[in-house]
Amino acid sequence: MDADLLHARLAPWYAEHRRDLPWREPGFSAWGTLVSEIMLQQTQVARVRTAIVEWLGRWPTPADLADAPTHEVLRAWGTLGYPRRALRLQDAARAIVERHGGAVPDDVDLLLALPGIGDYTARAVAVFHFGQRHPVVDTNVRRVIARAVQGQGDAGPAARADLARVEGLLPADVAEAGVVSIALMELGALVCTARAPRCDDCPLLGDCAWVAAGRPVYEGRRAPRQAAFAGSDRQARGTVLRALRGVDVPLSRAELAPLWPDAEQLGRAIASLHDDGLVVVEGESVRLPH
């Protein structure tokens, strides 16, 4: 499968089946694109499509978020999960104001230099907002490439070679490359899913190496599975943050104690939240950062 064939198959499919999402609307800002990519990390699209409208209504520019009280930022993040992302997003906003006059840079290296911005996010902003030609590689893209091109049932753990592999499948034309990038991602999210791929609906069905090989079961290395959420330290951390987001005053450890049955685990959760900068511990009191 080469770049021209990939574009020929994916472009019409994407035009017909693409989801209508806020960050794909004409005129959506570079800052909005950056915010959406941070929110979409480990959070379902359905939750982000609502949250980002509210978020950008409150903080429409990096300068707005940079000046916001951190406790308000954490409250607004709500149940999106992994709240350290909210802190890193505010750090990135402050860096954009200090280094770039409040305008999101269009250069991948400058984006990578922002706090909390990694390979995927930097390239996603450069491609999806600024219209540049770069490989944008997430779990969905890696799975589609592993199946359609390599004939494997899954992609296994992420590797640096993934960028070069996807780069080699992008058309030379910048606009066409952008369509392939977003269409690969959409295909992996909607059709070439991990557990129940809908191969009969796939525009790559007739060219898919995995289908041609009889859809063999993947037997390679797998990415580590995430630990169960129920009863975990992560759930304990979320319980503490949820309680603090619901009040405007600090809570004592005694007030937090009834919220979690394991006192030792609760103490560990509070300590880790403090280490991450998500709460401030003052004696026996715990509060959100100012």
Side-chain angles (χ1 to χ4, degrees), residues 71-121:
H71 62 88
E72 291 185 9
V73 174
L74 289 172
R75 284 195 175 96
W77 194 259
T79 60
L80 287 173
Y82 298 95
R84 278 179 291 182
R85 291 181 295 165
L87 298 185
R88 298 292 80 78
L89 185 55
Q90 187 171 43
D91 289 342
R94 290 168 176 161
I96 290 169
V97 171
E98 294 169 2
R99 303 174 193 173
H100 307 291
V104 175
D106 63 0
D107 180 80
V108 167
D109 289 336
L110 293 178
L111 286 163
L112 283 168
L114 297 174
I117 304 301
D119 278 338
Y120 168 79
T121 302

Side-chain angles (χ1 to χ4, degrees), residues 15 37 51 89 95 104 109 113-114 146 152 169 185-186 188 192-193 201 206 226 228 244 246 279 281 284:
E37 293 298 343
L89 185 55
V104 175
D109 289 336
L114 297 174
Q152 300 175 354
L169 292 168
M185 200 170 295
E186 196 80 334
C192 193
T193 54
D201 297 326
Q226 189 177 59
L244 293 175
V279 304
V281 178
E284 290 300 305

